[in-house]
Amino acid sequence: MDKTPQTDPRQSWTFSNSVNSEIRRAAATGIYDIRGGGAKRRVPHFDDLLFLGASMSRYPLEGYREKCDTSVTLGTRFAKKPIELKIPITIAGMSFGALSGHAKEALGRGATMAGTSTTTGDGGMTEEERGHSEKLVYQYLPSRYGMNPDDLRRADAIEIVVGQGAKPGGGGMLLGQKITERVAGMRDLPVGIDQRSACRHPDWTGPDDLEIKILEIREITGWEKPIYIKIGGARPYYDTALAVKAGADVVVLDGMQGGTAATQDVFIEHVGQPTLACIRPAVQALQDLGMHREVQLVVSGGIRSGADVAKALALGADAVAIGTAALIALGDNDPKWEAEYQALGSTTGAYDDWHEGRDPAGITTQDPELMKRLDPTAAGRRLRNYLNVMTLECQTIARACGHNHVHNLEPEDLCALTMEAAAMAQVPLAGTNWYPGKPGF
Amino acid sequence: MTTLDMSTTPLREVNVTLQEAAKSQSNSAFEITNPRGSHAVAVGLDGPVSVTIKGSTGYYCAGMNKSATIRVEGSTGPGVAENMMSGEVVIEGDASQYAGATGHGGLLNIKGNASSRCGISMKGIDIVVHGNIGHMSAFMAQKGNLVVLGDAGDALGDSLYEARLFVRGSVKSLGADCIEKEMRPEHLEILKDLLAKAGADAKPEEFKRYGSARKLYNFNIDHADEY
Amino acid sequence: MCGIVGLFLKKDDLRPKLGDMLTDMLITMTDRGPDSAGIAIYGDEAAGSTKITVQSDTPDIAFAGLQAALNEALGTTASVKTVDTHAVIVLPVEKQDAAVSFLEGKGLRIMGVGSSMEIYKEVGLPKDVAARFGLRDMGGSHGIGHTRMATESAVTTMGAHPFSTADDQCLVHNGSLSNHNQMRRKLAKKGVFTKSENDTEVGAAYISSRIAEGASLGQALEGTIDDLDGFFTFVTGTKNGFGVVRDPIACKPAVMAETEDYVAFASEYRAFADLPGIEAAKVWEPEPATVYFWER
């Protein structure tokens, strides 16, 4: 007898295996999922934009022969000593504690060879990174771990962190496993505890108070150093405008794909706006205040290639910052550790338990044995190479669009592949001269 | 004694003068007149100078102080002696919110009252308040000693780490994970020393000690309500 | 995000100096709010009369012939005093509602209405705003001033503080409300409408509507602690007094000073530096979630 035909087993889109596994994990542990990295969901991104290039109406520059400048100066508004970078790509703030000393050293080495700056993080300044970073940005965070006037003075710029793209409105989280004696000592904390960082600064709230805080920092550092203000991609128009009003030399704008050492998954995936959607409102705010290019805009959150750099610049950024991409260049999530990722219940490309301190690549760890796996000199060279490639790629695109400086890239060099990207980047949908919200239609 | 009159001398000049004197290890003395609530007065001093401020100051007076002795003959605005590393800051009047925030060392001696968030995130500083302190004081305080001769406001020592809190008067309420603790001989010694340094007319035995219950140090689902 | 100043005189001999003292206080708060400035001043009260303060971006056109037109339309004897972009219209109290309708019909913006309150506010630096309106020469019993650093709503005259949503009542704010959109919708259902997108106006409208429902000012201010979310320091003025309330977290700065002659409020002590007898004044910070109120 014929078998009665049956419908194939069908899994729910809403209750997918991944969703169900999270429900089981939550039910078993009673704590939200904490992880590192940035948003993993697909959001409209630079991939959805294309450059038009030059042909008849515009003339391209000859690659490698006709000059295309990539230099950028950050902090020209008030600082006596602005930061001059050879390339428009900087290394974003990542803490010692989240990263090993070797990793911080490698970042310093790579960035210095490429002619750019690196940035401290929540946890203070280490000798490894100061010694190996020609230009070092010192983050001023709510926790103020390790904050002291000597390091403030030996920094090249100061970045006041108001928010982070991975978690606008949230503080930090570093679980006990990584609070080793050295990390704890630098943070004045007991060894082995879970360390929670505050979401607001302890001694100011709001831009009117921040203006006074900036005055204090400038008075302590003799008005020499550029003051950056880092904001998460929340309300980029207002937040950029208020950063400028509070007295910023540079605004660092971090979209939701920006990484973090550790925070709640719900924060990473559900709070904040895609980087692509943040840039135009921020640039608009600068333009409305007459401050575009006077106060520099550094964009971060999901920058991976020279194309991404070029697109961010075309939308109005002065420079970009990379975090996750830099870690991958150092050796994070490298397939050569696949067996160990598997043993940790993960796989290459998915490993994000940076807070647990067991990183097989020896980057997001404080374990002395694991740390040894990262050779800071070799990793630094890899980062240098990667930064050089991105710069060359960005130059290639700029030349193809007929520009002798990457800063001359403009929104009119772009078209969008999707309605979403067209709306967010305010560039025309490919083949049209229209984008959603454009007046006059 | 050099006098800097802030009604005629810009803030930048006042601070440069003080900072250079401090750096040269000169042990010199300065008097600042007419501060009129100005912000960031006598910040970033890095060496042994003595500064007397004749009047009230605004935000962040004596910020990031190292080694210098700064006396304010008036009241101070928010964040006095924030992130102080060492030295001594004395306030004859009251201190506004965030006094001694994130301070790493030295002595902050407040003769009057301190308002909310006194000693927030303190990391080793000693703070003596002769009057009362406001709500959320010693929030996330990590290290150091906070001594209060008067009363403490709501949520004292919320999410406290290893800082020691000594209060002579009443405590309106304790914050999450902050509990009263036994006063042992070593604590009486610390207190005696701090009271003497601050010129406070009080006996160590009159104080109660508060500290961290250390229940929030590692996540435990049974304490989730307190996060 | 802003600077607030307030001054409430306990004795009449300082009345002629009120505007002068408030102007200095206001200018000191410029760094906290460079976008716009405003002041509500409670001056002389004329028995049986009401004052309507209106604003126009084209005062030369809008205020020319306004007095004659108003008197003809309402059959009354109103006076119109033009002060830069503002005009203060004084007329019998029974003509108030008709006058407001008439003035709104002419496209004028109503800044405030009351028997003693006048409101002046404009975009620009506090010192320029004060000079345009001649604030220094104004006398009165009490006044509240505000300097604004706009957060989310536009830098416009209507977005400047103080906000007045009922006769002789005004409110200024430092902070940022996080449930103002929801509250605006709730108030609209009750027939209380706001004119701007500003969070502070919602705070003002909330207080006025509570008072209209029978609450005392003290009760209405108490209500803000439960019903409004976010960070706020409010200073509110009424015909006879002024009140202060801070949210329970109380992060935004607030300092008060009291002598035998006055009670003063400011976002920073700096604003008090020139007040007479400030050295000997009682100076303190208002407690969180606590209502303070002074009345004559």
Side-chain angles (χ1 to χ4, degrees), chain A residues 51 68-70 87-89 305-314 320 387-401 403 405-407 409:
Chain A
F51 282 99
C68 177
D69 197 349
T70 60
I87 61 173
I89 309 160
S305 65
D308 287 351
V309 177
K311 289 168 188 175
L313 298 186
V320 301
L387 287 167
N388 285 353
V389 168
M390 282 208 285
T391 306
L392 289 168
E393 287 175 342
C394 181
Q395 276 176 311
T396 300
I397 287 172
R399 284 197 180 95
C401 295
H403 300 303
H405 195 298
V406 292
H407 282 165
L409 286 161

Side-chain angles (χ1 to χ4, degrees), chain A residues 200 205-209 211-212 235 238 242 245-246, chain C residues 1-2 31-32 35 150-152 174 231 251-252 268:
Chain A
R200 293 201 313 271
T205 311
D208 43 11
D209 284 354
E211 181 174 6
I212 306 170
R235 294 172 172 82
Y238 298 123
L242 288 167
K245 286 181 193 176
Chain C
M1 294 298 143
C2 316
D31 293 344
R32 299 193 74 86
D35 292 335
T151 45
E152 291 187 9
N174 181 17
F231 292 75
C251 268
K252 297 312 294 176
E268 296 174 23

Side-chain angles (χ1 to χ4, degrees), chain A residues 12 34 84 143 189 208 230 254 294 348 389 408 426 428-429:
Chain A
S12 166
I34 293 173
E84 286 172 17
S143 66
L189 286 168
D208 43 11
K230 179 173 181 174
D254 191 24
E294 301 292 320
T348 303
V389 168
N408 295 336
Q426 294 167 39
L429 192 64

Side-chain angles (χ1 to χ4, degrees), chain A residues 4-216:
Chain A
T4 313
Q6 287 194 327
T7 327
D8 284 345
R10 183 179 174 190
Q11 273 163 354
S12 166
W13 177 266
T14 308
F15 288 92
S16 63
N17 280 343
S18 152
V19 167
N20 295 352
S21 71
E22 168 53 17
I23 293 173
R24 282 188 291 274
R25 194 207 56 78
T29 64
I31 185 174
Y32 33 54
D33 187 26
I34 293 173
R35 68 171 177 89
K40 292 187 171 184
R41 64 158 75 219
R42 192 195 185 286
V43 295
H45 199 30
F46 294 119
D47 294 336
D48 302 323
L49 300 180
L50 296 175
F51 282 99
L52 301 178
S55 56
M56 286 287 275
S57 65
R58 293 200 183 188
Y59 319 131
L61 301 189
E62 202 65 68
Y64 304 101
R65 293 179 186 83
E66 288 166 346
K67 194 172 145 41
C68 177
D69 197 349
T70 60
S71 64
V72 54
T73 306
L74 301 176
T76 52
R77 185 187 187 189
F78 291 122
K80 281 189 217 158
K81 294 184 179 169
I83 298 219
E84 286 172 17
L85 304 176
K86 286 187 194 148
I87 61 173
I89 309 160
T90 66
I91 307 298
M94 290 177 275
S95 74
F96 168 72
L99 302 190
S100 70
H102 284 178
K104 290 300 281 180
E105 180 184 333
L107 290 173
R109 285 175 180 274
T112 300
M113 284 187 279
T116 190
S117 62
T118 183
T119 312
T120 67
D122 201 356
M125 188 185 286
T126 62
E127 293 309 319
E128 287 96 323
E129 64 187 338
R130 179 61 282 188
H132 293 284
S133 304
E134 193 193 324
K135 294 194 171 72
L136 181 61
V137 183
Y138 188 25
Q139 282 197 332
Y140 192 80
L141 290 128
S143 66
R144 311 275 166 88
Y145 293 132
M147 173 52 55
N148 68 80
D150 301 333
D151 286 343
L152 205 63
R153 291 191 191 99
R154 63 185 191 144
D156 298 294
I158 295 144
E159 180 171 304
I160 299 176
V161 179
V162 178
Q164 215 178 317
K167 45 182 173 182
M173 177 83 72
L174 195 58
L175 295 194
Q177 298 92 322
K178 287 176 82 174
I179 305 284
T180 61
E181 217 158 304
R182 183 176 175 206
V183 174
M186 281 180 70
R187 299 183 182 208
D188 300 291
L189 286 168
V191 175
I193 68 162
D194 294 352
Q195 173 248 293
R196 291 158 289 139
S197 299
C199 65
R200 293 201 313 271
H201 279 258
D203 57 357
W204 63 269
T205 311
D208 43 11
D209 284 354
L210 176 55
E211 181 174 6
I212 306 170
K213 175 48 79 176
I214 290 175
L215 170 72
E216 185 208 7

Side-chain angles (χ1 to χ4, degrees), chain C residues 31-149:
Chain C
D31 293 344
R32 299 193 74 86
D35 292 335
S36 62
I39 196 162
I41 197 147
Y42 292 80
D44 292 329
E45 199 182 337
S49 292
T50 197
K51 295 185 203 176
I52 304 170
T53 314
V54 295
Q55 186 268 0
S56 168
D57 291 339
T58 51
D60 292 348
I61 303 161
F63 300 151
L66 182 65
Q67 184 166 345
L70 188 63
N71 286 338
E72 194 188 314
L74 270 61
T76 187
T77 51
S79 71
V80 176
K81 179 184 73 174
T82 303
V83 190
D84 197 76
T85 54
H86 287 42
V88 179
I89 296 147
V90 182
L91 78 177
V93 70
E94 63 272 13
K95 298 287 186 189
Q96 176 178 316
D97 294 346
V100 168
S101 306
F102 175 84
L103 295 164
E104 281 179 339
K106 290 258 174 201
L108 296 171
R109 299 185 182 121
I110 310 289
M111 300 283 102
V113 177
S115 61
S116 66
M117 180 187 74
E118 295 170 24
I119 288 183
Y120 301 90
K121 57 188 190 184
E122 268 307 346
V123 172
L125 285 174
K127 73 172 167 55
D128 299 330
V129 173
R132 283 168 70 178
F133 295 126
L135 293 182
R136 270 193 200 284
D137 299 328
M138 292 182 190
S141 55
H142 56 296
I144 294 170
H146 187 270
T147 63
R148 178 166 186 240
M149 186 188 282

